[in-house]
Amino acid sequence: MPALTLTKRPDGVAVVTFDTPDSPVNVLSRELLGEFTALLDQIEADDEIRAVVAFSGKKDSFIAGANIQEILTVTDPTEASALSHECHVLFNRMAASKKPFVAAIHGPALGGGLEFALACHYRLATDSPKTVLALPEVQLGLLPGGGGTQRLPRVVGLLRALPMMLTGERVRVKKAKRDGLVDAVTSPFGLLETACQAARRLASGELVRKPRKVGNLEKLLSAPPLRQVVFTRALRDVMDKTRGLYPAPLAILECVESGVTQGFAAGEATEERLFGKLVVSPEAKNLIWLFNAMNALKKLPKEPAPKQVHKLGVLGAGLMGEGIASVSLGLNPVVIKDVSDTSLSKAAKNMFTSLSKRVRSGSLTNVEKERQWSRLRFSTDYKDLAGSELVIEAVFEKLSLKRQVLAETEAVLAPDAVFASNTSALPIHEIAAEAKHPERVLGMHYFSPVPKMPLLEIVVADKTADWALATAQAYGVAQGKTVIVVKDGPGFYTTRILAPFMNEAIQLLTAGAEIEQLDNALRDFGFPVGPVTLLDEVGIDVGMHVGRDLGQAFAARGMGASDALERMVEAGYLGRKNGKGFYRYEGKKGKGKQVNPEAYRFFGGPGRQEFDPLEMRDRLVLVMVNEVAHCLGEGIVASPRDADIGAIMGLGFPPFRGGPCHYVDTVGIHAIVERLRELEARHGVRFAPAPLLLEMLEQEKGFYGPQRVPQPV
């Protein structure tokens, strides 16, 4: 079946409908580009057609971008550059047509979809929260290859275009209209007819597209010589955020600068060349793998069927409980239960503010805001949880407390309601030890802040029923989370592999490493923040509890925790939450961060030593990688895919490296085991290679297949 159909109207407007067969969204592929070329021939040759509207046959989607699976198979940069060139020829031909093209946008217009719209003469978008516009290629290690690096700056201006492309920012319609990214806004119900009227009026000259107003400051900064200041600042920001480890943002800057300084054609030539290089880069291959893996985890097993959740109960009105409720309001009524009216009032205020912000951003309508707010109930009485098919407990990390609230909740729940504990480390079987129905108890470990963090780690104990898991898994996916399922055990998966990583940071500080030097070594590897900053962010008290509990559990493997964190907590060092930790936090929201030299007194005093950054990097990264192998070998995590997803999305392992398992395959199993043995000889048994790694070494295999040729990292 063709992806495109052409319908001629009596008023001289032709409607081109995009409807990719066997796909929930429209995607640009080689086949579709060929179809569109043939349609352009027909449009240009037909004198009865005076204007064209590009419309989507999908319910809530315009064009979601290029076919990523086609791009993933490309291994020759010349072939990738040719794909970009083909898009340029086609889109330039449409842009140069004397017959106006109108993009009728409802739903996501992403990547190549937005590039197509940018090549149209007029863009009409609906005011639906489902309509978003973005060039998110940078998130896949790519750049916009269909002229986006050239057209977007010319449409919205250099100052607006750069952050859009360098971050992949998704723009709502209100902002898109202000930026000049869309020319007019309408309702979803009248989109096609309004677009056809606009096309007809453009063809007759009644309607002339008005360019956006450009302020004097923008004119000044977009012209030589000051525009060089813009590029210099953008480059500095990119290097600060990525340490130069991601080639795509640098390539985007080069494309834009080439087009601005040398002209449109030169910019497109640069875009083609650099697109070809990026497509075959290991960074892009890993990031596309990550994208595909996340989509695969959204596909749920058909059996057993999950229980439908018509009402959710949340225990605890703190930040975690509030966040869990926030991401659930769009699904069903929610009851938040807490012992404190003060906590409930604070949560209510925060959630109402959050809903109001979403209305202002355009991601929520006023009607939907009122509907969601009306579905929210705050209570101090367990009886109000009755009828909930799922209850998620988010109280303080204390085993006796969690057992108590489980017992009190079970008194009002139906026997087949699921009870989930949002715990990061407490074993689920211990929480459920005294439960009447341990088969319905599991863990749902969310990450803070819940609305922003994409991962959900579901923890199943030996007695957890399959139907309870299916219910929690389906609900997590409905919340928009990427869900991995792990087995019960000390620290589960993410906390377990984080603990030795953090413990090794403490070992290095105790040995004399500098705080900032240690953080920079891991940022230079690709972590978004260093391990010391991370300790401050999660809370030194939290790190102390996790380190102590897991240190005891794995003491035989040399994972015993230092008492330094305990002494810091006793002295009032909690991290960012109280402005006093390894760093000092001053100014608004603690953004003025500086190393706190007083913290060194817990680690041998102010005298510091110079450590090789690569040595520090290897000690932290490989102790985490080794723990991942232990978890896989013990069946705590089911597959290398889930292990990589959990480490990337839960702990910030560098996405462009593809996760710990991909990292092992890239470096090579021989090099990994050899380096672990070196570290074991110098620093102790905690670096002894996991049995699974030794088995892989013997069998000459990697996590994702036969051992590959090692690459420099």
Side-chain angles (χ1 to χ4, degrees), residues 475-627:
Y475 198 76
V477 170
Q479 288 174 321
K481 299 301 179 185
T482 297
V483 180
I484 62 170
V485 179
V486 304
K487 288 186 178 179
D488 195 16
F492 317 134
Y493 172 65
T494 53
T495 303
R496 176 170 165 181
I497 69 170
L498 179 64
F501 178 88
M502 304 299 274
N503 181 62
E504 201 59 33
I506 298 301
Q507 297 284 352
L508 278 160
L509 289 175
T510 303
E514 292 183 356
I515 291 171
E516 221 165 13
Q517 185 189 32
L518 179 53
D519 270 352
N520 285 334
L522 273 295
R523 286 194 66 203
D524 287 341
F525 180 75
F527 279 90
V529 297
V532 188
T533 295
L534 184 58
L535 259 173
D536 268 3
E537 294 286 346
V538 301
I540 296 172
D541 52 338
V542 175
M544 175 198 73
H545 285 293
V546 170
R548 184 176 59 197
D549 294 345
L550 295 188
Q552 291 172 356
F554 300 106
R557 288 184 26 227
M559 296 293 184
S562 161
D563 68 347
L565 294 186
E566 193 165 346
R567 289 186 283 114
M568 289 185 77
V569 172
E570 288 173 355
Y573 289 75
L574 301 181
R576 180 183 279 274
K577 69 177 77 175
N578 74 339
K580 185 181 179 183
F582 291 96
Y583 290 89
R584 289 172 175 161
Y585 301 89
E586 301 169 354
K588 189 176 181 182
K589 295 184 179 180
K591 290 185 177 180
K593 186 179 79 169
Q594 292 183 333
V595 170
N596 183 0
E598 294 176 6
Y600 286 129
R601 69 186 174 94
F602 301 98
F603 301 93
R608 299 286 98 187
Q609 297 180 26
E610 189 74 21
F611 275 82
D612 179 0
L614 294 181
E615 167 81 5
M616 292 192 290
R617 179 196 80 177
D618 280 359
R619 284 177 61 173
L620 270 76
V621 171
L622 292 185
V623 79
M624 175 184 278
V625 164
N626 202 39
E627 200 62 34

Side-chain angles (χ1 to χ4, degrees), residues 93-308:
R93 182 178 167 189
M94 180 173 66
S97 175
K98 293 181 180 179
K99 299 179 180 182
F101 280 72
V102 174
I105 303 169
H106 172 65
L110 308 176
L114 180 54
E115 289 180 293
F116 174 89
L118 286 167
C120 291
H121 303 91
Y122 196 82
R123 288 169 294 282
L124 178 70
T126 69
D127 56 6
S128 168
K130 296 176 181 178
T131 301
V132 290
L133 302 94
L135 293 178
E137 287 87 350
V138 69
Q139 296 169 356
L140 297 177
L142 303 172
L143 57 76
T149 65
Q150 305 308 303
R151 286 195 173 90
L152 187 64
R154 287 165 172 79
V155 170
V156 302
L158 184 62
L159 300 182
R160 187 71 190 93
L162 285 178
M164 272 190 68
M165 288 186 285
L166 293 174
T167 65
E169 174 193 353
R170 295 191 171 211
V171 181
R172 300 283 173 183
V173 174
K174 285 183 182 179
K175 194 170 185 180
K177 179 66 168 63
R178 290 197 302 268
D179 291 342
L181 188 55
V182 300
D183 299 296
V185 179
T186 188
S187 71
F189 307 103
L191 176 62
L192 181 57
E193 187 56 39
T194 305
C196 289
Q197 289 178 13
R200 185 173 63 251
R201 293 178 65 215
L202 283 167
S204 67
E206 294 176 57
L207 176 64
V208 178
R209 181 179 178 273
K210 296 179 181 178
R212 68 184 184 90
K213 293 181 180 180
V214 180
N216 291 331
L217 179 60
E218 184 181 341
K219 288 178 181 177
L220 195 63
L221 290 173
S222 300
L226 287 185
R227 70 182 173 206
Q228 192 55 48
V229 175
V230 176
F231 284 114
T232 300
R233 174 63 184 271
L235 177 61
R236 186 168 68 244
D237 288 346
V238 165
M239 292 302 292
D240 180 59
K241 291 175 182 176
T242 71
R243 320 291 269 200
L245 296 168
Y246 291 80
L250 299 173
I252 289 170
L253 279 175
E254 186 176 342
C255 289
V256 175
E257 188 168 8
S258 174
V260 167
T261 58
Q262 300 174 50
F264 192 91
E268 281 197 329
T270 304
E271 188 177 279
E272 290 171 12
R273 174 175 57 83
L274 294 180
F275 181 78
K277 288 179 65 176
L278 290 176
V279 164
V280 301
S281 68
E283 293 85 1
K285 298 299 185 189
N286 282 334
L287 290 168
I288 293 173
W289 172 87
L290 177 62
F291 174 81
N292 286 335
M294 289 169 60
N295 283 336
L297 285 168
K298 294 176 183 177
K299 299 174 182 177
L300 299 168
K302 293 182 179 180
E303 296 293 338
K307 188 175 179 64
Q308 191 70 31

Side-chain angles (χ1 to χ4, degrees), residues 361-675:
S361 73
S363 65
L364 198 69
T365 64
N366 259 314
V367 172
E368 180 63 15
K369 170 196 166 185
E370 295 301 326
R371 187 177 78 91
Q372 290 194 18
W373 181 249
S374 69
R375 301 168 91 178
L376 186 58
R377 183 171 182 180
F378 300 90
S379 174
T380 58
D381 193 337
Y382 277 104
K383 291 180 181 178
D384 288 324
L385 297 174
S388 300
E389 293 87 0
L390 172 63
V391 172
I392 303 174
E393 164 266 300
V395 301
F396 185 70
E397 287 279 280
K398 187 177 179 181
L399 181 59
S400 60
L401 177 61
K402 288 182 179 288
R403 283 181 175 174
Q404 176 188 334
V405 298
L406 170 55
E408 291 169 344
T409 304
E410 279 197 308
V412 300
L413 289 185
D416 60 348
V418 178
F419 183 94
S421 176
N422 174 53
T423 175
S424 61
L426 292 176
I428 299 303
H429 71 274
E430 292 188 13
I431 294 173
E434 300 170 1
K436 294 178 182 177
H437 297 281
E439 72 279 2
R440 51 112 164 262
V441 181
L442 45 70
M444 291 179 77
H445 176 203
Y446 293 86
F447 295 75
S448 184
V450 177
K452 292 183 178 180
M453 293 295 283
L455 186 70
L456 170 61
E457 183 181 39
I458 294 182
V459 188
V460 293
D462 289 340
K463 293 183 179 180
T464 303
D466 289 344
W467 60 265
L469 168 60
T471 300
Q473 200 172 3
Y475 198 76
V477 170
Q479 288 174 321
K481 299 301 179 185
T482 297
V483 180
I484 62 170
V485 179
V486 304
K487 288 186 178 179
D488 195 16
F492 317 134
Y493 172 65
T494 53
T495 303
R496 176 170 165 181
I497 69 170
L498 179 64
F501 178 88
M502 304 299 274
N503 181 62
E504 201 59 33
I506 298 301
Q507 297 284 352
L508 278 160
L509 289 175
T510 303
E514 292 183 356
I515 291 171
E516 221 165 13
Q517 185 189 32
L518 179 53
D519 270 352
N520 285 334
L522 273 295
R523 286 194 66 203
D524 287 341
F525 180 75
F527 279 90
V529 297
V532 188
T533 295
L534 184 58
L535 259 173
D536 268 3
E537 294 286 346
V538 301
I540 296 172
D541 52 338
V542 175
M544 175 198 73
H545 285 293
V546 170
R548 184 176 59 197
D549 294 345
L550 295 188
Q552 291 172 356
F554 300 106
R557 288 184 26 227
M559 296 293 184
S562 161
D563 68 347
L565 294 186
E566 193 165 346
R567 289 186 283 114
M568 289 185 77
V569 172
E570 288 173 355
Y573 289 75
L574 301 181
R576 180 183 279 274
K577 69 177 77 175
N578 74 339
K580 185 181 179 183
F582 291 96
Y583 290 89
R584 289 172 175 161
Y585 301 89
E586 301 169 354
K588 189 176 181 182
K589 295 184 179 180
K591 290 185 177 180
K593 186 179 79 169
Q594 292 183 333
V595 170
N596 183 0
E598 294 176 6
Y600 286 129
R601 69 186 174 94
F602 301 98
F603 301 93
R608 299 286 98 187
Q609 297 180 26
E610 189 74 21
F611 275 82
D612 179 0
L614 294 181
E615 167 81 5
M616 292 192 290
R617 179 196 80 177
D618 280 359
R619 284 177 61 173
L620 270 76
V621 171
L622 292 185
V623 79
M624 175 184 278
V625 164
N626 202 39
E627 200 62 34
V628 169
H630 277 291
C631 289
L632 281 164
E634 296 167 21
I636 296 296
V637 64
S639 67
R641 178 200 68 180
D642 291 4
D644 280 343
I645 288 284
I648 291 170
M649 306 192 75
L651 306 177
F653 195 94
F656 75 94
R657 297 190 187 276
C661 298
H662 273 108
Y663 180 67
V664 169
D665 285 3
T666 300
V667 176
I669 187 64
H670 288 271
I672 291 290
V673 171
E674 181 181 354
R675 183 64 171 136

Side-chain angles (χ1 to χ4, degrees), residues 57-130:
K58 304 299 182 185
K59 182 182 178 183
D60 290 313
S61 176
F62 181 61
I63 302 174
N67 187 324
I68 297 300
Q69 307 319 313
E70 280 189 356
I71 292 174
L72 188 60
T73 62
V74 176
T75 57
D76 181 359
T78 305
E79 181 185 354
S81 293
L83 280 173
S84 176
H85 179 73
E86 187 179 345
C87 278
H88 288 162
V89 170
L90 187 57
F91 291 175
N92 288 345
R93 182 178 167 189
M94 180 173 66
S97 175
K98 293 181 180 179
K99 299 179 180 182
F101 280 72
V102 174
I105 303 169
H106 172 65
L110 308 176
L114 180 54
E115 289 180 293
F116 174 89
L118 286 167
C120 291
H121 303 91
Y122 196 82
R123 288 169 294 282
L124 178 70
T126 69
D127 56 6
S128 168
K130 296 176 181 178

